[in-house]
Amino acid sequence: QVQLVQSGAEVKKPGASVKVSCKVSGYTLTELSMHWVRQAPGKGLEWMGGFDPEDGETIYAQKFQGRVTMTEDTSTDTAYMELSSLRSEDTAVYYCATVFIAAGTSSSFFDYWGQGTLVTVSS
Amino acid sequence: QSVLTQPPSVSAAPGQKVTISCSGSSSNIGNNYVSWYQQLPGTAPKLLIYENNKRPSGIPDRFSGSKSGTSATLGITGLQTGDEADYYCGTWDSSLSALFGGGTKLTVL
């Protein structure tokens, strides 16, 4: 059973950066494909990007390219998502989530989710 | 505006059945599996259905999924007040980007 525990809420000023962490237990990070999804207040889910084990690269949603960086520390099984040049529209709950990929098929889906981290961007 | 289209809300009485639709295109649902997620108020999303119609361990068989062409449907029978939540469909597109529907709020009257 995978457990994902995220860092606590953050308040940032416009233009600043935020780094959210996601600690994995139950599995090692190298066994997982970690992704990040955000949800603005009262809005739906928005995929930001994640690790593609097929080619060993991180894929970012076009909307966030150049502003988001997703990294992993395999020594501590912790994933990080850093978002820069924050603006008020970035106020949201940020989730880490693992993607299960069935070998030999095109099946992949989000199977485990962190509890979410609220990031508030306000002057 | 989400690429996958869901009705904003559905409602039904306890014990009744409800369906939630998810409409996409050939570049996403038409060529990929669909999954469904339940988000109870104030909590993280939870996997409900994967590979169009499979239920993870622990998900009751009151929940079902189907897919036809470029659309998918989530069905919930024997509605309970505890089923009140937001429901999201999900899939992938040809550029390996994950897609979610806009979400459907289920009210059990």
Side-chain angles (χ1 to χ4, degrees):
Chain A
Q1 182 84 351
V2 175
Q3 286 195 315
L4 307 176
V5 178
Q6 299 183 223
S7 48
E10 304 259 14
V11 179
K12 296 292 183 180
K13 293 195 182 301
S17 297
V18 68
K19 192 170 186 177
V20 179
S21 68
C22 175
K23 169 72 174 173
V24 175
S25 62
Y27 277 73
T28 64
L29 198 47
T30 56
E31 299 175 282
L32 304 170
S33 174
M34 188 65 74
H35 290 241
W36 293 84
V37 176
R38 78 176 186 179
Q39 185 171 36
K43 303 296 185 182
L45 303 174
E46 181 175 33
W47 178 75
M48 300 180 69
F51 182 73
D52 179 8
E54 290 271 314
D55 58 11
E57 300 288 330
T58 299
I59 301 174
Y60 299 120
Q62 191 170 9
K63 175 178 179 176
F64 301 102
Q65 281 190 2
R67 219 165 52 95
V68 69
T69 304
M70 296 173 188
T71 56
E72 297 181 351
D73 183 345
T74 55
S75 68
T76 61
D77 288 320
T78 302
Y80 298 91
M81 186 284 300
E82 184 169 22
L83 187 63
S84 61
S85 302
L86 290 169
R87 33 207 188 234
S88 58
E89 310 90 87
D90 294 317
T91 294
V93 175
Y94 289 77
Y95 294 101
C96 58
T98 59
V99 168
F100 176 86
I101 301 171
T105 77
S106 62
S107 173
S108 53
F109 48 88
F110 294 85
D111 54 353
Y112 294 99
W113 297 71
Q115 84 277 18
T117 297
L118 175 62
V119 174
T120 303
V121 183
S122 174
S123 54
Chain B
Q1 192 82 0
S2 301
V3 174
L4 305 181
T5 302
Q6 296 182 233
S9 63
V10 295
S11 62
Q16 297 299 303
K17 173 183 177 178
V18 72
T19 60
I20 298 172
S21 61
C22 175
S23 178
S25 69
S26 58
S27 65
N28 43 66
I29 290 179
N31 279 290
N32 288 285
Y33 287 107
V34 175
S35 51
W36 289 90
Y37 305 87
Q38 176 192 59
Q39 187 175 33
L40 296 169
T43 70
K46 171 186 171 182
L47 178 65
L48 205 58
I49 297 287
Y50 67 97
E51 290 181 10
N52 303 332
N53 55 19
K54 297 179 181 176
R55 286 175 286 106
S57 173
I59 301 299
D61 59 7
R62 300 188 299 107
F63 295 91
S64 64
S66 64
K67 175 187 144 178
S68 178
T70 59
S71 294
T73 302
L74 172 70
I76 311 173
T77 60
L79 277 172
Q80 303 174 0
T81 55
D83 295 333
E84 283 204 339
D86 293 324
Y87 293 84
Y88 294 90
C89 59
T91 190
W92 301 80
D93 69 13
S94 53
S95 64
L96 303 181
S97 296
L99 302 173
F100 292 102
T104 299
K105 182 178 182 60
L106 169 64
T107 301
V108 181
L109 302 167

